[in-house]
Amino acid sequence: MRRGAGALLAVGALLGLALQTTPASADSGGSAPSSTVTKAAKQTAGQWTAERMREATPVEDLLDIGSRAVERAGKAVPRGEELKVPPLGSLGGSKAQPEPGGPWSGGGDVVKTTGRVFFKMGDRDASCSGDAVTSDNGSTVITAGHCVKYQGNWHTDWVFVPGYHDGEAPHGKWTAKKTLTTPQWEASEDMNFDVGAAVVNELDGKKLTDVVGGQGLSFNAEYNTTMYSFGFPAADPYDGEKLIYCSGTTFQDVLLTKDHGLSCNMTGGSSGGPWFTEFDEATGKGLQSSVNSFGYTFLPDTMFGPYFGEDAKKLYETAQAS
């Protein structure tokens, strides 16, 4: 493909990117970069009113990632031994019901663990999606890297609203005391490593997963498998007020990244929403194996999510130990 002949779409918004054709060597990053949030938690949560949450702009509508996002995208993602972290409670069998994007009506744990993420991006209110996972600290949220940090700036006033719908926060607004990302996203916004995490404060004396439960995780797993993707797309034709999902058999990106690909028409605002393997529609439980990250403008209705290899595992381990 000719340089400049294509562009990347970060879950619904055009990002003017020149295609990079020269792969770089693989290396695994160091410890996960993080930002400690110093603003008073109660003050931050209280500022996110129903009206402000509804009006928050999907983060992808604000981005212009540029060529840095793909300048190292040809490198391999470091892999190790497969690791599965079970969700809180039992995990049932997986069912395959292909869906390119529709409201989730199945109920189960995913309705509580998945939520919208709100934050200040410069002087703009923005939104993403995220997921509560089982963790040692009971307070870990997994999202996309660009949902915690972009172009050298950590987002502020960061809050996670699990179970969000129609401006409501049925399980509370959980403020971040720390947000983290991978070294590769920190250094060069490498789309292979577009993974972020947050450690949230307790709310009313309780930890996040004590209230909403926690999904499992899977690292260093196989490509080409059945996955379910969830998120809160807020760009047309969606409005960010309902939990949307896609499902089907994934494939490996053969263009600029080593990401998983999935037939899915979710738009801006869904970034950071979880991808599950071994997902059980009856219980709404699964193993989180990726997040909504980006799409190609020349390949409509297709979502890509980073491979959860060694660096995603390190990020999770650092977050749950915080």
Side-chain angles (χ1 to χ4, degrees):
M1 190 170 294
R2 293 185 300 108
R3 182 181 300 272
L8 281 182
L9 179 76
V11 196
L14 179 64
L15 307 175
L17 302 178
L19 295 183
Q20 306 297 304
T21 59
T22 304
S25 60
D27 66 327
S28 183
S31 59
S34 65
S35 171
T36 300
V37 180
T38 58
K39 194 167 184 178
K42 289 185 178 180
Q43 181 180 359
T44 298
Q47 290 177 347
W48 286 104
T49 63
E51 180 180 5
R52 186 182 176 192
M53 289 190 292
R54 289 193 182 102
E55 293 180 351
T57 306
V59 65
E60 297 80 11
D61 288 351
L62 306 178
L63 294 181
D64 182 12
I65 291 178
S67 60
R68 284 201 308 150
V70 292
E71 65 186 5
R72 298 171 62 204
K75 67 189 292 185
V77 178
R79 298 174 66 171
E81 293 185 6
E82 185 174 1
L83 172 66
K84 294 183 179 181
V85 179
L88 295 178
S90 60
L91 180 64
S94 177
K95 298 180 180 179
Q97 299 291 334
E99 169 59 57
W104 175 253
S105 59
D109 282 19
V110 71
V111 174
K112 297 186 297 180
T113 62
T114 307
R116 290 189 77 180
V117 172
F118 299 95
F119 48 85
K120 292 286 288 186
M121 182 176 172
D123 61 354
R124 303 285 294 275
D125 289 346
S127 70
C128 275
S129 301
D131 182 52
V133 296
T134 183
S135 57
D136 288 346
N137 59 17
S139 303
T140 298
V141 177
I142 298 296
T143 186
H146 67 267
C147 296
V148 297
K149 188 177 189 292
Y150 172 61
Q151 283 192 340
N153 297 311
W154 293 92
H155 305 322
T156 59
D157 293 0
W158 203 100
V159 63
F160 176 58
V161 185
Y164 175 94
H165 64 86
D166 303 310
E168 300 295 324
H171 308 295
K173 303 170 186 176
W174 300 76
T175 57
K177 64 179 179 181
K178 176 183 288 188
T179 52
L180 311 89
T181 189
T182 60
Q184 296 88 346
W185 183 259
E186 161 81 13
S188 62
E189 294 171 2
D190 185 338
M191 296 301 289
N192 278 306
F193 302 92
D194 184 20
V195 189
V199 179
V200 297
N201 293 293
E202 291 186 359
L203 182 61
D204 298 328
K206 296 180 180 179
K207 295 182 177 180
L208 175 64
T209 57
D210 291 337
V211 175
V212 302
Q215 297 286 356
L217 299 104
S218 178
F219 301 99
N220 298 307
E222 296 300 319
Y223 285 97
N224 307 312
T225 187
T226 298
M227 284 196 188
Y228 285 71
S229 167
F230 290 84
F232 288 85
D236 188 67
Y238 301 104
D239 60 7
E241 300 303 304
K242 297 179 177 62
L243 180 62
I244 304 298
Y245 85 105
C246 300
S247 61
T249 301
T250 62
F251 59 92
Q252 183 178 354
D253 182 15
V254 296
L255 296 175
L256 296 179
T257 74
K258 304 301 180 183
D259 284 16
H260 300 285
L262 177 67
S263 177
C264 185
N265 66 8
M266 281 197 275
T267 59
S270 63
S271 273
W275 290 36
F276 297 109
T277 55
E278 299 184 31
F279 184 76
D280 182 15
E281 290 190 355
T283 63
K285 297 177 186 287
L287 303 180
Q288 183 166 353
S289 305
S290 187
V291 296
N292 297 320
S293 177
F294 78 94
Y296 292 105
T297 57
F298 51 83
L299 191 61
D301 299 330
T302 305
M303 179 81 73
F304 291 87
Y307 181 83
F308 273 19
E310 285 298 287
D311 291 281
K313 184 174 74 171
K314 289 178 184 177
L315 172 64
Y316 164 68
E317 291 172 342
T318 300
Q320 72 164 343
S322 299

